[in-house]
């Protein structure tokens, strides 16, 4: 039921009608003074508004929703502190290319610049990490700004857009005019790859003897998993998927070498290092992947396909740059490569044997603690096994995040959510909430650390009250575990301010109970499976399980920050036995 | 490192200068000068940005700038293919008795004295950075009390105009974006 153009209303109603016209079905937010006029028409809207407990929760929830649905998530907040609380999720969404539209109220236009009550220059504050942002002071501009915001957020390289609206613009009379088109002189995402680049890429691939598909989150954003599978199987080259790309290519596939980077597999890290051609698809040569950049894959030529031209050549020179939508790019590359291979089919068998030998020699693994305590990796592995690979897993940031990337074999896109670029502790619970709203029939597990959980767990109240039954596994090692790991390795075990004592305080099951969730705890390895199964059986309420795990477990393999990927360690002071490898 | 001059057409809307300046700041690109003003089109402003970067970084600067939604077009303006000019106002300590001597120097640069009293004279000059530097050296002997310079502005030689090649905005339907093949 759309509202006809030309209908008289106030700016607030025009805003809500615009959000409806943009196809919004849910938004996460909190009202306050400056945005209050908008909450009156929200009361009558078809859009489901979920009242969160902190604006940061609204922002990450919108991100979780966007990451599972592929559609822009929407969050809404008032001026000043409401808006500044959105800063972290907006920065997070920018780093991970998440389509997000944030609506904020602003003080009345006459008060802007006077340090008015709850005034913050949120447009200025968010310029560095929004794809674009607006300050609207004229109610007639609202529909166009909303239409443009969704267009910008969803197209090209997705990203967050903020629309800040002065209170008087919400209150004043206007006529609703939803634009049938958007027209932005300075915004033309380049979607179709250049055919010359495609044939250059195909020719280069056909000459390569040690090619690797270096796959990033862009493949998931472009919904190009099927095409990637066809391309990878056509060439039969190893595939590595970055932290943001897990699930874009099935972990169980024989060509999959795992995740590259600081905590990647030996096979993935080494495949990149020894490669003669990186077929880079929607990845950005992040420092956590490359290690010391000057020593990264030094003998490799680079094909770099990305929708964002500014990513190409930013960190690493590209021999063949391809700017375009990845689905279109891979679709074009398949026949071009087939044709190139028909003329020259390189023999990749030696290369595959080498990387497969690494894969079988250095699988991911973990030690079972000898003191009878629970291994955190075991908990995460069992979550994947018992909940199954149709579930969505949403991690916080730290050791538990890395273990969740290592010990759950993601088979499908959009089943693994995490804060990759910004590394936002506190992401998990609200993002899981948003994911569950976007995929209500899917089991959603938040895998969180005891540190992260204490940053944003207030959204469990939102989940409990709004029938959003997520499941939370707290991997409780009573520490800021990753920082503690670095203190162990690089600061002589001087554990400055990393002990959280969270096996003592807070009592997580009681806290969960107080927030309307089922609270469970698990202390013994032999109870892990049955407690996961118990959590799986509760679907009418959020569940929180406090897995009280071994404190000293570390994430391996590891490439220490700033060092070369050649220095990968599989355990403390233990490098792979390179002499036994034929690389 | 080398100096490059960029002509940047931007939407004439609030905050554009902050967006451009913020981009240069946060990406640690060094601006030598930036001049901005209106153009023949009231909706468009033109910035001339002089930057000092490595050659490979120039491409990065242009691509990052191009990501700003309000930036419509960017072109590198080569010195030999363009008119490049700065404005200088300089106040020198020169009494009336020196006026003839100052005028001789000023004339040789095509500049002019635009204000004077019995203690000082103010000279206005336009030209490329080298000419302005030479003029400053020449009048420096009188003693410089104060000076102000604009950023460089530049216009390509010949009949073509930047706006000819750029100002075609496509109209794109406002359909609901991005259908994901969720768990395909």
């Amino acid at each position: 039921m759309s509202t006809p153009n030309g209908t008289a209303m106030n700016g607030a109603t025009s805003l809500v009608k615009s959000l409806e016209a943009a196809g919004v079905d849910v938004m996460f937010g909190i009202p306050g003074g400056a945005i209050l006029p908008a909450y009156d028409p929200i009361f009558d809207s078809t859009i489901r508004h979920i009242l969160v407990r902190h604006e940061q929760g609204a922002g990450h929830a919108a991100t979780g929703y966007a990451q599972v649905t592929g559609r822009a998530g929407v969050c809404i907040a008032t001026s000043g502190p409401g808006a500044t609380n959105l800063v972290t999720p907006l920065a997070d969404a920018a780093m991970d290319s998440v389509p997000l539209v944030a609506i904020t109220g602003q003080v009345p236009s006459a008060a802007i610049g006077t340090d008015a009550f709850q005034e913050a220059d949120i447009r200025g504050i968010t310029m560095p990490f929004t794809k674009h942002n607006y300050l609207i002071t004229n109610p007639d501009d609202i529909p166009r700004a909303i239409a443009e915001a969704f267009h910008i957020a969803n197209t090209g390289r997705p990203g967050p857009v903020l629309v800040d609206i002065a209170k008087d613009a919400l209150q004043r009379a206007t006529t609703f005019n939803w634009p049938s088109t958007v027209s932005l002189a300075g915004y033309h995402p380049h979607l179709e790859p250049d055919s010359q680049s495609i044939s250059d890429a195909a020719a280069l691939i056909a000459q390569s003897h040690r090619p690797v598909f270096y796959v990033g989150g862009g493949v998931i954003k472009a919904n190009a998993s099927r095409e990637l599978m066809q391309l990878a199987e056509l060439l039969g080259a190893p595939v590595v998927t970055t932290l943001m790309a897990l699930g874009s290519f099935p972990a169980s596939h024989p060509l999959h070498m795992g995740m590259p980077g600081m905590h990647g597999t030996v096979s993935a890290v080494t495949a990149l290092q020894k490669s003669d051609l990186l077929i880079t698809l929607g990845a950005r040569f992040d420092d956590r992947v490359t290690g010391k950049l000057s020593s990264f894959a030094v003998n490799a030529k680079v094909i770099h396909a990305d929708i964002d031209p500014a990513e190409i050549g930013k960190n690493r020179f590209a021999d063949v740059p391809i700017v375009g939508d990845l689905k279109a790019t891979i679709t074009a590359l398949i026949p071009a490569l087939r044709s190139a291979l028909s003329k020259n089919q390189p023999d990749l068998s030696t290369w595959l044997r080498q990387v497969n030998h690494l894969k079988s020699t250095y699988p991911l693994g973990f030690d079972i603690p000898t003191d009878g305590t629970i291994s955190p990796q075991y908990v995460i592995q069992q979550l994947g096994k018992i909940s199954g690979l149709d579930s969505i897993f949403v991690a916080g940031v730290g050791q538990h995040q890395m273990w969740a990337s290592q010990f759950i074999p993601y088979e499908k896109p959009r089943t693994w959510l995490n804060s990759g670029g910004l590394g936002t502790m506190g992401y998990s619970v609200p993002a899981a909430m948003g994911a569950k709203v976007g995929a209500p029939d899917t089991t959603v597990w938040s895998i969180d650390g005891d540190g992260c959980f204490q940053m944003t767990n207030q959204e469990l109240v939102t989940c409990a009250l709004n029938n959003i039954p997520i499941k939370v596994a707290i991997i409780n090692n009573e520490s800021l575990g990753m920082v503690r790991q670095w203190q162990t390795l690089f600061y002589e075990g001087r554990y400055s301010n990393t002990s959280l004592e969270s096996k003592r305080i807070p009592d997580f099951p009681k806290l969960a109970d107080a927030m309307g969730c089922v609270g469970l705890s698990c202390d013994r390895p032999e109870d892990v499976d049955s407690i996961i199964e118990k959590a799986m059986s509760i679907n009418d309420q959020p569940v929180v399980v406090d897995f009280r795990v071994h404190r000293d477990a570390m994430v391996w393999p590891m490439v220490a920050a700033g060092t070369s990927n050649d220095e990968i360690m599989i355990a403390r002071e233990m490098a792979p036995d390179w002499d036994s490898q034929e690389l | 490192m080398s100096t490059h001059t960029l002509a940047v057409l931007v939407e004439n809307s609030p905050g554009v200068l902050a967006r451009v300046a913020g981009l240069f700041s946060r990406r640690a690109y060094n601006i030598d000068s930036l001049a901005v003003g209106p153009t023949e089109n009231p909706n468009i402003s033109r910035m001339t940005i002089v930057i000092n970067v490595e050659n490979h970084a120039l491409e990065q600067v242009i691509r990052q700038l191009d990501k700003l939604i309000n930036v419509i077009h960017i072109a590198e303006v080569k010195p030999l293919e363009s008119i490049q000019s700065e404005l200088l106002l300089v106040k020198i300590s020169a009494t009336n008795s020196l006026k003839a001597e100052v005028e001789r120097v000023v004339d040789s640069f095509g500049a002019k004295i635009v204000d004077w009293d019995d203690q000082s004279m103010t000279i206005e000059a336009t030209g490329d950075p080298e000419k302005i530097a030479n003029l400053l050296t020449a009048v420096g002997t009188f003693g410089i009390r104060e000076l102000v310079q604009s950023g460089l502005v530049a216009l390509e030689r010949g009949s073509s105009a930047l706006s000819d090649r750029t100002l075609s905005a496509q109209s794109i339907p406002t359909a609901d974006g991005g259908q994901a093949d969720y768990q395909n």
Side-chain angles (χ1 to χ4, degrees):
Chain A
M1 190 178 61
S2 62
T3 305
N5 279 351
T7 309
M9 58 184 68
N10 66 9
T13 306
S14 177
L15 169 65
V16 175
K17 294 296 175 196
S18 297
L19 293 169
E20 289 171 358
V24 176
D25 58 357
V26 61
M27 55 187 174
F28 302 87
I30 307 185
I35 196 67
L36 195 49
Y39 271 80
D40 194 61
I42 284 172
F43 206 36
D44 298 326
S45 173
T46 56
I47 300 172
R48 178 185 182 196
H49 179 278
I50 294 171
L51 176 63
V52 298
R53 290 298 179 269
H54 189 291
E55 291 86 353
Q56 185 188 356
H60 292 314
T63 289
Y65 174 91
Q67 293 287 61
V68 301
T69 64
R71 295 192 302 272
V74 181
C75 53
I76 179 164
T78 195
S79 64
T84 57
N85 280 342
L86 289 177
V87 165
T88 298
L90 287 169
D92 183 274
M95 291 285 261
D96 287 346
S97 307
V98 180
L100 212 66
V101 173
I103 311 292
T104 49
Q106 181 55 276
V107 299
S109 50
I112 290 176
T114 66
D115 305 317
F117 177 66
Q118 291 194 329
E119 180 180 2
D121 173 19
I122 197 63
R123 187 183 55 152
I125 291 167
T126 59
M127 267 182 198
F129 41 74
T130 48
K131 192 171 169 187
H132 193 50
N133 59 16
Y134 294 84
L135 170 60
I136 302 298
T137 53
N138 179 345
D140 299 345
D141 294 340
I142 290 172
R144 182 187 51 77
I146 297 297
E148 289 179 3
F150 279 88
H151 175 64
I152 292 168
N154 277 320
T155 56
R157 180 180 182 169
V161 180
L162 177 132
V163 184
D164 193 28
I165 310 176
K167 186 174 186 179
D168 55 318
L170 294 171
Q171 291 167 319
R172 278 160 50 201
T174 182
T175 50
F176 177 72
N177 272 303
W178 181 248
S180 58
T181 60
V182 292
S183 171
L184 292 156
Y187 181 66
H188 307 285
H190 189 96
L191 302 179
E192 283 303 315
D194 171 56
S195 59
Q196 184 63 49
S197 302
I198 294 291
S199 50
D200 289 351
L204 196 56
I205 294 170
Q207 290 161 20
S208 157
H209 296 283
R210 302 156 87 86
V212 180
F213 290 100
Y214 163 27
V215 175
V219 169
I220 292 176
K221 297 292 183 324
N223 298 312
S225 292
R226 282 191 210 95
E227 292 78 6
L228 171 64
M229 173 73 83
Q230 287 172 34
L231 181 67
E233 290 188 337
L234 171 63
L235 182 62
V239 176
V240 305
T241 47
T242 69
L243 183 65
M244 293 310 295
L246 298 177
S248 64
F249 190 80
S252 61
H253 196 286
L255 291 173
H256 191 243
M257 293 299 137
M259 178 178 81
M262 180 175 272
H263 295 295
T265 58
V266 173
S267 52
V269 170
T270 310
L272 291 177
Q273 282 303 86
K274 303 296 180 188
S275 171
D276 68 356
L277 178 64
L278 306 182
I279 307 165
T280 313
L281 303 171
R284 60 184 178 91
F285 295 88
D286 178 78
D287 57 272
R288 284 301 192 257
V289 167
T290 64
K292 188 179 168 194
L293 189 59
S294 61
S295 67
F296 175 67
V298 289
N299 297 316
K301 291 196 169 179
V302 171
I303 295 167
H304 194 172
D306 204 288
I307 198 159
D308 180 359
E311 282 307 333
I312 291 169
K314 185 181 78 177
N315 292 336
R316 172 71 180 250
F317 174 77
D319 299 272
V320 179
I322 307 174
V323 178
D325 170 65
L326 270 176
K327 195 171 191 131
T329 297
I330 301 175
T331 301
L333 204 45
I334 290 168
L337 181 61
R338 192 173 286 124
S339 156
L341 291 177
S342 69
K343 294 175 201 123
N344 181 32
Q345 179 92 41
D347 178 9
L348 304 183
S349 60
T350 305
W351 174 231
L352 275 174
R353 194 174 68 245
Q354 290 168 340
V355 292
N356 275 320
H357 187 241
L358 286 171
K359 186 177 168 183
S360 57
T361 311
Y362 299 106
L364 291 165
F366 53 88
D367 295 328
I368 300 294
T370 52
D371 60 359
T373 56
I374 303 174
S375 152
Q377 298 99 321
Y378 176 75
V379 173
I380 289 166
Q381 175 189 286
Q382 294 308 100
L383 281 170
K385 282 189 179 158
I386 295 170
S387 189
L389 299 176
D390 288 326
S391 306
I392 292 169
F393 298 93
V394 187
V397 168
Q399 287 183 313
H400 69 278
Q401 171 195 26
M402 291 297 105
W403 290 322
S405 75
Q406 292 176 330
F407 295 105
I408 297 177
Y410 301 96
E411 293 288 304
K412 298 174 184 180
R414 302 186 188 278
T415 57
W416 160 245
L417 274 59
N418 82 133
S419 168
L422 195 67
T424 310
M425 286 180 67
Y427 170 90
S428 177
V429 167
M433 171 171 76
K436 183 71 179 171
V437 170
D441 300 327
T442 303
T443 300
V444 177
W445 273 100
S446 154
I447 299 176
D448 217 359
D450 50 303
C452 289
F453 181 77
Q454 291 184 70
M455 292 189 176
T456 51
N457 64 65
Q458 78 285 341
E459 297 313 334
L460 286 170
V461 172
T462 313
C463 290
L465 289 172
N466 289 278
N467 187 28
I468 307 169
I470 64 167
K471 304 180 196 303
V472 182
I474 304 173
I475 308 301
N476 181 358
N477 60 4
E478 56 189 330
S479 302
L480 296 166
M482 186 61 92
V483 183
R484 189 172 192 273
Q485 174 168 342
W486 286 41
Q487 288 172 332
T488 304
L489 297 174
F490 310 123
Y491 292 88
E492 297 157 348
R494 288 163 50 81
Y495 298 117
S496 172
N497 292 281
T498 46
S499 175
L500 295 172
E501 302 183 58
S502 27
K503 286 181 186 166
R504 204 159 62 82
I505 295 174
D507 182 325
F508 287 125
K510 267 192 191 166
L511 181 62
D513 185 55
M515 291 192 286
C517 307
V518 176
L520 305 170
S521 72
C522 182
D523 276 297
R524 302 189 311 167
E526 57 269 36
D527 296 335
V528 169
D529 291 15
S530 60
I531 289 181
I532 293 173
E533 275 154 12
K534 185 168 181 194
M536 292 298 298
S537 72
I538 301 166
N539 292 307
D540 55 350
Q541 253 182 306
V543 188
V544 177
V545 189
D546 181 17
F547 289 101
R548 302 155 74 88
V549 301
H550 185 60
R551 190 175 202 184
D552 295 324
M554 287 202 265
V555 181
W556 299 105
M558 181 169 185
V559 178
T563 68
S564 165
N565 281 347
D566 294 333
E567 310 295 317
I568 187 169
M569 304 300 267
I570 51 172
R572 194 167 188 184
E573 289 166 9
M574 190 186 292
D577 178 10
W578 297 117
D579 292 342
S580 72
Q581 301 297 325
E582 48 176 319
L583 284 161
Chain B
M1 302 279 272
S2 56
T3 298
H4 302 271
T5 305
L6 300 178
V8 184
L9 298 181
V10 300
E11 284 179 53
N12 180 14
S13 62
V16 176
L17 182 59
R19 289 181 204 279
V20 171
L23 171 69
F24 278 79
S25 162
R26 71 175 176 271
R27 299 226 177 242
Y29 307 143
N30 203 15
I31 299 187
D32 282 1
S33 87
L34 188 155
V36 57
T39 65
E40 71 284 358
N41 180 339
N43 299 319
I44 308 280
S45 298
R46 178 164 172 147
M47 294 183 183
T48 307
I49 304 173
V50 182
I51 48 170
N52 198 0
V53 290
E54 307 280 354
N55 278 326
H56 73 269
L58 177 67
E59 200 163 353
Q60 222 354 255
V61 171
I62 291 172
R63 287 172 177 179
Q64 293 292 352
L65 259 182
D66 202 30
K67 284 171 73 168
L68 299 178
I69 307 290
N70 296 134
V71 169
I72 297 166
H73 187 70
I74 307 155
E76 187 184 2
V77 184
K78 302 274 168 82
L80 292 177
E81 297 160 13
S82 63
I83 314 296
Q84 304 207 344
S85 195
E86 293 173 345
L87 170 66
L88 168 76
L89 294 174
V90 56
K91 191 179 289 179
I92 58 171
S93 305
T95 54
N96 274 332
S97 60
L98 290 169
K99 193 162 182 225
E101 199 179 330
V102 173
E103 266 175 345
R104 193 162 39 76
V105 174
V106 164
D107 284 349
S108 71
F109 284 94
K112 59 186 177 188
I113 298 169
V114 290
D115 185 52
W116 65 88
D117 61 16
D118 54 359
Q119 297 290 314
S120 70
M121 289 176 210
T122 300
I123 299 161
E124 178 189 289
T126 59
D128 63 49
E130 192 184 357
K131 174 182 156 185
I132 297 293
N134 288 341
L135 171 64
L136 278 174
T137 306
V139 300
T141 56
F142 301 105
I144 293 172
R145 288 185 52 75
E146 193 175 24
L147 71 82
V148 60
Q149 268 182 275
S150 73
L152 185 84
V153 294
L155 204 62
E156 285 177 310
R157 293 179 186 274
S159 58
S160 76
L162 272 191
S163 53
D164 293 345
R165 346 198 246 275
T166 56
L167 302 181
S168 58
Q170 302 158 254
S171 290
I172 295 153
T174 51
D176 183 28
Q179 287 295 315
D181 49 351
Y182 168 64
Q183 298 195 6
N184 57 347

